[in-house]
C-alpha cells in the first residue's frame, strides 16, 4: 500500500471513530508530516483523497476541517433544486448559462420517465454548475412555455424553482426520475474537464405541478467521481408484497 493510502486510511478511521469530530481541524500539514514521517506531497495526496471522498473541507487560512460526510451528498429522490441544496449546505457554487432559448424536446431520452412524452418545442435552459470552484454538473432543462414564462438571465444563474414558486406562483409537486451511467460526450468532457473515456452519471426526470401538469424535463449530467447517491429505503413486510406466479 502506498504511503499516502496508509495516511488516508488512518485519518479516515480516526474521523469515523470520532477521534477527529465534525467541525474540528485535522492536524496541520507540518504536524502530519512529523506524525507519519512523510513528505509534504504525500500528506497532501492523502488530504486530497479525504476531501474527494467528502470527509474534510479545506479552508484557506484554517486548514482541513472535518465535515459531516452527508453534507456533500446530493439526494436525487427529492424534488429540490441544485441552488436550494447548495444554499442549505453552505456550499460555494457558481452557475454558467450555456443556452436559454427554444429547442425541440428529445422525447426519446425521456420515455422511461414519461411514456407519453412527445417531441415539441420547449424552452431550453442549459447550465454548468460549479461546486467549490470545480465544474460538477451540466443541467439541461426543457420547460413547457405554456406554463413557464421567459427565464431572465439572473434567474438562470440562481434558483429556477425559487422564481417559479415565489414569483410566478407555480406549485411544484412531484417528479419521476431514472439514474444511468453513460460514457461522457464531447460536451461533457469539455465543460466538466473530463478525459477521453470518462463516465458520467445521468439523472433524467419529469417534474409535475400539483394539478398534474408536466412542466419540466431535466437531464443532469454529473461527474462520476463527485457523485454520491443517498436515499432511504425500508424493506416491505412479506405479506404486503404482491405475489405473482
Amino acid at each position: 500500500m502506498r504511503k499516502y493510502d496508509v495516511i488516508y486510511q488512518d485519518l479516515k478511521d480516526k474521523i469515523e471513530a470520532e477521534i477527529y469530530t465534525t467541525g474540528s481541524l485535522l492536524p496541520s500539514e507540518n504536524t502530519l508530516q512529523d506524525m507519519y514521517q512523510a513528505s509534504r506531497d504525500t500528506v497532501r495526496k492523502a488530504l486530497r483523497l479525504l476531501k474527494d471522498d467528502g470527509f474534510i473541507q479545506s479552508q484557506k487560512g484554517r486548514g482541513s476541517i472535518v465535515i459531516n460526510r452527508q453534507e456533500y451528498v446530493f439526494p436525487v429522490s427529492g424534488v429540490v433544486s441544485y441552488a436550494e441544496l447548495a444554499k442549505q449546505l453552505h456550499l460555494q457554487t457558481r452557475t454558467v448559462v450555456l443556452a436559454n432559448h427554444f429547442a425541440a424536446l428529445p422525447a426519446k431520452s425521456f420515455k422511461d420517465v414519461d411514456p407519453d412524452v412527445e417531441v415539441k418545442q420547449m424552452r431550453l435552459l442549459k447550465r454548468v454548475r460549479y461546486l467549490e470552484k470545480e465544474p460538477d454538473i451540466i443541467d439541461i432543462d426543457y420547460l413547457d412555455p405554456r406554463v413557464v414564462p421567459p427565464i431572465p438571465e439572473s434567474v438562470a444563474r440562481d434558483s429556477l424553482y425559487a422564481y417559479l414558486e415565489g414569483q410566478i406562483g407555480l406549485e411544484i409537486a412531484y417528479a419521476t426520475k431514472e439514474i444511468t451511467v453513460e460514457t461522457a460526450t464531447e460536451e461533457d468532457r469539455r465543460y466538466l474537464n473530463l478525459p477521453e473515456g470518462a463516465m458520467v452519471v445521468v439523472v433524467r426526470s419529469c417534474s409535475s405541478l400539483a394539478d398534474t401538469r408536466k412542466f419540466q424535463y431535466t437531464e443532469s449530467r454529473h461527474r462520476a467521481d463527485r457523485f454520491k447517491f443517498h436515499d432511504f429505503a425500508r424493506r416491505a413486510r412479506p405479506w404486503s408484497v404482491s405475489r405473482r406466479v
Side-chain angles (χ1 to χ4, degrees):
M1 186 179 286
R2 293 163 297 195
K3 187 64 175 283
Y4 62 82
D5 286 323
V6 173
I7 299 172
Y8 161 83
Q9 189 62 51
D10 187 58
L11 290 173
K12 174 177 173 289
D13 289 345
K14 289 175 178 175
I15 290 171
E16 291 179 335
E18 297 188 346
I19 294 171
Y20 299 125
T21 58
T22 299
S24 66
L25 288 168
L26 289 185
S28 68
E29 289 185 3
N30 288 336
T31 301
L32 291 173
Q33 285 179 250
D34 293 336
M35 285 173 58
Y36 295 104
Q37 294 297 295
S39 68
R40 181 178 295 273
D41 184 62
T42 297
V43 165
R44 286 182 172 175
K45 285 181 179 178
L47 294 176
R48 177 67 183 183
L49 289 176
L50 287 169
K51 181 179 178 181
D52 288 346
D53 285 348
F55 290 98
I56 64 171
Q57 177 60 33
S58 301
Q59 286 195 359
K60 191 173 182 180
R62 293 194 64 193
S64 299
I65 300 173
V66 178
I67 62 173
N68 179 345
R69 195 164 183 247
Q70 296 305 315
E71 288 181 352
Y72 281 81
V73 176
F74 278 69
V76 296
S77 55
V79 183
V80 61
S81 73
Y82 181 93
E84 288 169 339
L85 280 169
K87 185 176 181 180
Q88 291 171 16
L89 304 179
H90 308 290
L91 302 178
Q92 182 182 356
T93 65
R94 179 170 68 94
T95 295
V96 174
V97 180
L98 302 180
N100 187 356
H101 54 70
F102 282 100
L105 173 68
K108 186 177 179 181
S109 297
F110 295 98
K111 279 290 184 183
D112 287 337
V113 293
D114 178 14
D116 300 321
V117 66
E118 298 177 351
V119 175
K120 53 188 172 183
Q121 284 296 109
M122 303 281 272
R123 191 178 305 282
L124 168 64
L125 184 59
K126 184 183 295 188
R127 298 169 288 179
V128 179
R129 310 292 202 164
Y130 285 76
L131 175 62
E132 301 298 321
K133 298 183 179 180
E134 290 194 46
D136 200 56
I137 305 169
I138 300 175
D139 271 337
I140 306 168
D141 292 295
Y142 294 90
L143 303 157
D144 190 336
R146 296 171 300 177
V147 179
V148 178
I151 305 299
E153 200 73 8
S154 59
V155 170
R157 291 194 302 269
D158 194 16
S159 174
L160 178 62
Y161 276 17
Y163 173 71
L164 295 180
E165 292 179 318
Q167 296 189 41
I168 306 304
L170 299 181
E171 188 177 350
I172 301 168
Y174 60 92
T176 54
K177 302 188 179 188
E178 71 161 357
I179 305 172
T180 59
V181 178
E182 303 174 11
T183 302
T185 64
E186 182 179 347
E187 183 176 68
D188 294 332
R189 297 196 301 272
R190 176 183 177 187
Y191 289 111
L192 299 180
N193 295 338
L194 298 174
E196 188 82 28
M199 306 299 287
V200 292
V201 177
V202 182
V203 181
R204 294 186 177 89
S205 64
C206 171
S207 299
S208 300
L209 302 176
D211 61 11
T212 74
R213 282 183 295 167
K214 300 166 184 174
F215 76 99
Q216 178 188 31
Y217 294 85
T218 300
E219 181 177 302
S220 293
R221 306 183 68 85
H222 300 247
R223 275 177 48 175
D225 63 324
R226 292 168 67 86
F227 179 89
K228 296 182 180 72
F229 174 77
H230 176 65
D231 203 356
F232 173 82
R234 187 187 301 278
R235 177 173 168 78
R237 296 188 180 189
W239 56 84
S240 68
V241 178
S242 299
R243 297 189 180 186
R244 296 183 181 179
V245 178

